[in-house]
Amino acid sequence: MRMKRRRAHAPPARGAAQERRTRGLLGDSPRNIIARLLCDHTIPLAAAASVCLVALSMVDATRGLSASKSQRQAMSALCSGLAAEEAALAAMRAKGNGLSSHATTWGLTARVERVRDLQERLEIVVQSSSEPARFSCDCLRGAAPSCFARPLTLGDRTGLGESSPAWLRGAFMPEAGPLPQLTLPPSYRSSLPGLFCDSEVAFLYMPTGTDRTDYTLGGPTDRVLPTPGTLVVEVPGNLWLLPAPAPLRFVLRAPLTLVVRGNAYLARSIVVEGDYPLTIVAHRCAATFRDLDGNGARSDPEPVLGDGARPVEGDGSLYLGHPGSAAGATREALEFRCHLVAYGEIHLLATTRLDGALVGAHGLTRCSPHADLSLTGRLLLDVSRARVPGFATSGGPRPGLLRREPRAVE
């Protein structure tokens, strides 16, 4: 009996007991299963780890080759651009009219051709080891006025004090002159898609209306597409951009300057599509006034600026916001991605952000206590290489900024 009892309670084999004990301690959770694999399958896991390391090494090598290729492409693009710059300068000095070839100091050959379509320009093809790089640039008579390289230029800064007020951001000290000089070409247009004469628009915002002819731009459409060859457009009266939920979009294939023979009332945001500048000029031909209350008509305390006959609405002034909105506590903010020039006074009636240059022959008047002005400077020009049609230039002929043309699709 004792012998049978001993055999019945004999301990199991050592391996099976250890396995059951291990399972009891570790359980069947994912972490514990991985632990058992590490204990029981060391050699296969080591082989798998080696394969993973080899794969990672191959990925790193591929990335290194790709980075090296990207660096070579960037260096090739840089050399092509420098060669095109050198060829453009040489072509402008040579004043040639036909096809010419230049061996540049960068070891690349550039072919230059003068093209006359919308305006005179250069087309440049640089031969490289991979594929030709194509560029173009305008042929400029000289440098544009220096005010288009500054965020704010005023002829009279007395209204702002010694430093910029809190409501004016982006121009710590507005600079004074020189102001741009208009030199309109012999032939320029007085029509633009979306520009219409409107004899009643002024009465919407001014009880007495205006003395001049009034024009609206935009109307039911949100896009202005000038006809080819249009560089300067004259508006023979006041220009109104009426409030609208969407901005007015100018689709430009060349620089465009709007010369307003009166006041410009801009109560709608402006966006420009394309790499060319839009400039709106309020041109003054007679006396004007500083509209302190922003109602569009002069009262006795408001100072007269200049000499000569003065229409009811003044002359050559710029309104950022429509007249009569100075008392409004909440107004839609305006954004202008263009340059604005006023040969009269600049009047601020709505919170405004301007990406281009703001130029005033006189001063800047804040008509509303709720209006702020932010000058970002994002669209300021390299005036030595930029074209602003309708303005006098300085210096000799030169190439404009290079534009890399997209590759031709085969």
Side-chain angles (χ1 to χ4, degrees):
M1 295 297 292
R2 292 180 180 175
M3 293 297 294
K4 290 181 180 180
R5 189 179 295 113
R6 288 178 181 175
R7 289 176 183 176
H9 297 282
R14 184 177 181 181
Q18 184 175 0
E19 182 179 357
R20 285 196 299 269
R21 185 165 54 253
T22 302
R23 288 181 178 177
L25 292 174
L26 297 179
D28 292 328
S29 67
R31 181 183 300 176
N32 297 333
I33 292 174
I34 294 174
R36 290 204 303 273
L37 287 174
L38 291 174
C39 294
D40 300 336
H41 303 283
T42 305
I43 294 177
L45 288 174
S50 300
V51 172
C52 291
L53 291 175
V54 172
L56 290 174
S57 300
M58 295 177 64
V59 170
D60 289 339
T62 303
R63 288 178 178 175
L65 293 174
S66 177
S68 177
K69 182 180 179 180
S70 300
Q71 291 175 355
R72 289 196 302 270
Q73 291 176 346
M75 183 60 66
S76 176
L78 177 61
C79 292
S80 297
L82 294 173
E85 289 276 7
E86 182 180 335
L89 289 170
M92 291 297 294
R93 293 193 189 102
K95 300 180 181 180
N97 295 323
L99 191 68
S100 60
S101 180
H102 297 274
T104 66
T105 56
W106 305 94
L108 301 174
T109 300
R111 190 182 64 208
V112 183
E113 182 180 6
R114 283 180 180 260
V115 179
R116 293 178 177 89
D117 47 9
L118 297 180
Q119 55 202 10
E120 189 175 10
R121 75 176 195 275
L122 299 178
E123 288 189 351
I124 307 168
V125 179
V126 179
Q127 303 294 338
S128 62
S129 58
S130 56
E131 61 181 8
R134 301 178 181 275
F135 301 86
S136 66
C137 66
D138 295 334
C139 298
L140 307 181
R141 296 180 179 272
S146 59
C147 61
F148 293 106
R150 301 190 292 261
L152 179 61
T153 301
L154 295 177
D156 182 4
R157 299 178 296 176
T158 56
L160 298 178
E162 298 181 357
S163 61
S164 295
W167 52 266
L168 176 60
R169 294 182 293 274
F172 179 71
M173 280 296 293
E175 299 190 41
L179 297 174
Q181 179 183 355
L182 276 177
T183 56
L184 299 181
S187 60
Y188 51 86
R189 299 177 184 270
S190 58
S191 63
L192 190 69
L195 181 66
F196 300 100
C197 178
D198 191 332
S199 59
E200 299 179 356
V201 63
F203 291 98
L204 296 175
Y205 304 101
M206 300 169 60
T208 59
T210 64
D211 286 352
R212 287 192 184 86
T213 306
D214 294 292
Y215 293 83
T216 59
L217 180 59
T221 179
D222 291 336
R223 290 166 64 89
V224 177
L225 181 61
T227 56
T230 301
L231 299 179
V232 178
V233 174
E234 180 195 36
V235 181
N238 299 316
L239 175 65
W240 295 80
L241 266 60
L242 300 180
L248 183 63
R249 295 184 175 273
F250 284 78
V251 183
L252 300 185
R253 292 168 288 184
L256 178 64
T257 299
L258 300 182
V259 179
V260 181
R261 302 290 188 177
N263 293 337
Y265 303 99
L266 308 181
R268 183 179 185 180
S269 298
I270 294 177
V271 173
V272 177
E273 297 180 5
D275 297 329
Y276 297 97
L278 169 66
T279 307
I280 299 178
V281 182
H283 188 242
R284 184 172 70 85
C285 303
T288 187
F289 64 94
R290 184 167 291 138
D291 192 1
L292 299 178
D293 56 12
N295 66 351
R298 181 181 178 270
S299 57
D300 290 337
E302 295 173 338
V304 176
L305 306 174
D307 300 324
R310 178 181 52 79
V312 170
E313 70 272 20
D315 193 7
S317 289
L318 182 67
Y319 284 78
L320 304 179
H322 58 72
S325 62
T330 57
R331 295 287 175 184
E332 292 292 334
L334 298 174
E335 297 183 7
F336 298 107
R337 300 178 187 175
C338 59
H339 307 290
L340 301 176
V341 180
Y343 284 87
E345 185 78 2
I346 302 172
H347 300 97
L348 182 64
L349 296 99
T351 295
T352 301
R353 190 187 78 179
L354 177 66
D355 292 339
L358 181 61
V359 183
H362 290 281
L364 172 61
T365 299
R366 188 193 189 203
C367 303
S368 171
H370 312 288
D372 294 333
L373 177 61
S374 177
L375 305 173
T376 68
R378 294 176 181 174
L379 296 180
L380 296 180
L381 300 178
D382 178 1
V383 294
S384 64
R385 302 287 298 277
R387 180 195 299 271
V388 184
F391 289 95
T393 60
S394 59
R398 66 199 65 200
L401 290 175
L402 285 181
R403 293 185 293 272
R404 183 181 289 269
E405 302 294 339
R407 292 183 295 180
V409 179
E410 299 180 356

